[in-house]
Amino acid sequence: MATKKFGLNTEPHEALVGAHRLLFKPEVLGTEFLDCYDRLQDTIRQLRSETDDPAETDTAAARQSTIATRIFLASLMLPESARQFVRWDVMVDGSTTSTYHDPEEAQQAAAEIPGAEVHDVGLQFPDRIFVDLTEWVAELYGGGRPPTSSGGSAPASPTPGRRGKGTSRSRA
């Protein structure tokens, strides 16, 4: 009888971005990662569909896409890192009245307070960092597969025929 042992990561994954140390969950279920990734893709698809001309760059849509990417990444972080990474403060006259980790909740709270404004006080990085972090977590949690492929996909079948080690020269 053969025994195969499988290890589970127990230590958080660490991303160092400048002076910031971001800790990601040691393990996530494949469906947890895919569910988070699907929400990100749905948001991006919705933002793209709102623009009639894809060549047109809508800064509001680009901003929303970046926020969606940050929320996706934060959903895979340990809570302390996530709280630093995505945070919106509701402020009145320069004072913070409340803090939210969802921009829509912050906007709703601000709408109820006269003179309140929402300030994005989470970590800000160049877009290339968000892209690199997204690709990195896809490798970590997606098992090296593109996030759109199913976890149960079988490997490609070999081409029919025998695998030869000879050359293509014919014998006379």
Side-chain angles (χ1 to χ4, degrees):
M1 177 164 107
T3 301
K4 173 82 173 156
K5 290 186 178 183
F6 295 89
L8 292 173
N9 293 321
T10 57
E11 296 296 318
H13 301 285
E14 182 179 74
L16 299 174
V17 182
H20 302 282
R21 179 176 178 240
L22 303 172
L23 298 177
F24 287 79
K25 297 175 184 178
E27 294 281 357
V28 297
L29 298 175
T31 56
E32 179 183 358
F33 169 72
L34 292 174
D35 290 345
C36 293
Y37 191 80
D38 281 345
R39 281 192 297 276
L40 171 62
Q41 291 300 308
D42 288 345
T43 301
I44 291 171
R45 272 191 292 273
Q46 179 183 1
L47 291 169
R48 285 184 183 151
S49 71
E50 291 173 2
T51 304
D52 293 334
D53 181 4
E56 231 178 75
T57 302
D58 181 0
T59 57
R63 192 172 288 116
Q64 287 300 105
S65 178
T66 299
I67 290 170
T69 301
R70 287 173 54 207
I71 291 170
F72 162 72
L73 291 167
S75 70
L76 300 168
M77 291 179 184
L78 293 181
E80 183 179 316
S81 290
R83 283 190 296 272
Q84 293 174 36
F85 197 67
V86 290
R87 196 175 97 210
W88 288 267
D89 285 352
V90 174
M91 301 180 81
V92 178
D93 297 327
S95 297
T96 301
T97 62
S98 54
T99 297
Y100 296 87
H101 301 287
D102 180 307
E104 291 177 14
E105 289 177 12
Q107 289 293 344
Q108 290 171 355
E112 296 174 7
I113 303 170
E117 295 178 340
V118 175
H119 293 268
D120 184 347
V121 294
L123 295 178
Q124 303 292 323
F125 300 124
D127 285 345
R128 68 179 173 77
I129 299 295
F130 296 128
V131 170
D132 287 347
L133 283 170
T134 301
E135 290 173 355
W136 180 64
V137 298
E139 290 174 20
L140 287 175
Y141 304 125
R145 296 183 308 271
T148 55
S149 68
S150 100
S153 296
S157 300
T159 54
R162 291 178 23 153
R163 290 185 161 205
K165 294 186 182 181
T167 64
S168 61
R169 287 186 270 164
S170 62
R171 292 191 170 147

